[in-house]
Amino acid sequence: MAETIYHHYEQLLGLTVPWQVSCVDLDHAAKQVTVRVTWPADTPVPCPVCARECVVASHREQRSWRHLDTMQFSTILQCRVPRARCHTHGVKTIQTPWASPNSRFTLFFESFAIDVIQTAAHLTAACTLLRISWDQAFRLMDRAVERGVARRQFTSPLQHVGVDEKSFGKGQSYGSLLTDLDGQRVLDVVQGRKRVNADELWATLPAAQRAVLTAVALDMWEPFMAATQAAAPQADQVHDKFHVTSYLTKAVDLVRRSEAKRLRLDGNPLLTNTKYLWLRNPTNWSDDERTQFRSLKTEALKTARAWAVKEAFTQFWGYRSLTWARKFFTRWYFWATHTRLAPIVSAAKTLKRHLTGILAYVTHRITNAVTEGLNSKIQTLKVNARGFRNFAHYRTTILFHCGKLELHP
Ligand SMILES: [Zn+2]
């Protein structure tokens, strides 16, 4: 009878000869099954380095691994792992087939835990279901991510990637993200958004992959641009519409703020509480906002002029011809720089300085907003984690959920 149960557990654990189950202990009170696994005495052991058959030098102290539950009983695998005495490599502990080194879980358990963590709404919920601690979950996810990154193959060469900054945790802590725009996956994340961080980010991508990139979407942010130029000099740098629009939107808001302040001092509340009217896309205006805007438009406000300049620029993104796009820009630039609105003039000059990258959009039509789905996923992960305790947790979480990695052992 015992023999049958041992054999049964050997199969459940996926043990390979000559590993064998030598004891199964059922503790009803603790709701726990303990399965002892041994390597038969007098059987040579393979050196973990060269695989040569060696004599058993000694045994490690007893260790435990958590396995998948048996009928709601926690199932623990125990073993005193033998050490091999190799003539070349000395005394080495042999590799067990049921767990990765330094893991306290069997591969079966890790694999199941990965599925649970991937589908659970919160990591806390997954931890409760699996009866593991938050730290254990992170170590497990870490191993899964490292495994996935090491295995990642670029079967079709990368073409378009995006480099973007993201805040993580609380306050102004930033990370830099590299995303595969076609594959809709995060390739890597590093802490910080300075030149050295951007270099570090690029270094995570194999040189062969960097060399075949055709275009990179990024903000008009010098450290990112310089690092990209160094890492993938053949790739066109594309400043996408969302970054450009945010510069113009900021300029409109600066105009509104100073004008509203001046009007308020004159006792005129005209611009009070209109901030979002000028920031929001007109297609999203409510009926009230539309009416409000119509009455404001006739007031010869500086804010209205700034807004018109910003809105006019949206036409640029529709061009398919470089010649026409360039002509449009020249006209728009003339208008913007003659508004006598300092923030608008300054934003227009910034755009002009980066015209090559803005025009590159017409050719490549890529934008970091393709990853908007990813962005909202990352945002959700951040909210669920209530900010990340440290950057390593942030990277692990993002790559675990948004890296499209093969995570299972
Ligand atoms: Zn050896």
Side-chain angles (χ1 to χ4, degrees), residues 256-275 277-278 292 295-296 299 301 303:
R256 180 197 60 83
R257 264 150 61 183
S258 80
E259 190 172 38
K261 194 173 165 193
R262 197 176 46 78
L263 288 175
R264 256 199 316 276
L265 289 175
D266 292 347
N268 183 343
L270 198 58
L271 281 173
T272 309
N273 298 326
T274 65
K275 178 176 178 180
L277 182 67
W278 306 102
Q292 190 188 14
S295 63
L296 283 172
E299 296 281 348
L301 291 165
T303 311

Side-chain angles (χ1 to χ4, degrees), residues 98-333:
W98 57 81
S100 5
N102 305 319
S103 173
R104 294 315 217 152
F105 303 108
T106 66
L107 296 173
F108 278 106
F109 185 90
E110 288 208 19
S111 190
F112 175 66
I114 287 166
D115 292 341
V116 172
I117 297 170
Q118 273 184 327
T119 48
H122 294 74
L123 186 57
T124 323
C127 288
T128 309
L129 268 169
L130 294 164
R131 285 178 281 121
I132 60 176
S133 71
W134 184 276
D135 285 329
Q136 285 177 316
F138 264 110
R139 279 199 294 275
L140 199 146
M141 288 164 74
D142 257 336
R143 279 193 296 275
V145 164
E146 290 327 310
R147 194 155 49 218
V149 169
R151 262 182 208 159
R152 187 166 55 194
Q153 299 279 332
F154 295 96
T155 38
S156 52
L158 287 175
Q159 269 196 293
H160 306 111
V161 298
V163 176
D164 209 354
E165 61 173 42
K166 281 267 167 301
S167 75
F168 73 92
K170 299 176 180 87
Q172 298 293 303
S173 31
Y174 284 94
S176 302
L177 254 86
L178 185 66
T179 40
D180 169 7
L181 298 178
D182 306 305
Q184 301 260 331
R185 57 179 171 164
V186 177
L187 295 169
D188 221 315
V189 196
V190 301
Q191 189 163 14
R193 52 171 177 171
K194 300 202 181 97
R195 170 69 199 266
V196 15
N197 312 123
D199 286 338
E200 192 194 332
L201 182 66
W202 275 113
T204 62
L205 198 63
Q209 290 305 320
R210 295 200 299 264
V212 295
L213 292 172
T214 54
V216 180
L218 76 177
D219 193 5
M220 295 170 272
W221 174 247
E222 302 302 333
F224 284 177
M225 294 174 66
T228 302
Q229 176 60 32
Q234 83 291 347
D236 286 343
Q237 298 194 11
V238 181
H239 299 312
D240 62 47
K241 97 171 132 180
F242 290 85
H243 285 123
V244 170
T245 306
S246 84
Y247 279 81
L248 292 172
T249 306
K250 263 179 223 143
V252 173
D253 200 46
L254 284 174
V255 173
R256 180 197 60 83
R257 264 150 61 183
S258 80
E259 190 172 38
K261 194 173 165 193
R262 197 176 46 78
L263 288 175
R264 256 199 316 276
L265 289 175
D266 292 347
N268 183 343
L270 198 58
L271 281 173
T272 309
N273 298 326
T274 65
K275 178 176 178 180
Y276 294 99
L277 182 67
W278 306 102
L279 299 187
R280 205 171 295 151
N281 186 330
T283 51
N284 298 332
W285 279 344
S286 66
D287 287 346
D288 283 353
E289 284 173 324
R290 222 177 295 278
T291 315
Q292 190 188 14
F293 182 74
R294 239 179 266 127
S295 63
L296 283 172
K297 208 166 62 172
T298 56
E299 296 281 348
L301 291 165
K302 287 179 177 174
T303 311
R305 279 196 291 133
W307 179 86
V309 172
K310 178 198 93 173
E311 282 305 301
F313 200 83
T314 50
Q315 196 184 330
F316 177 87
W317 310 110
Y319 286 108
R320 299 263 164 181
S321 140
L322 266 179
T323 315
W324 284 104
R326 199 186 296 272
K327 271 187 190 156
F328 170 86
F329 187 87
T330 308
R331 266 186 291 122
W332 177 87
Y333 182 76

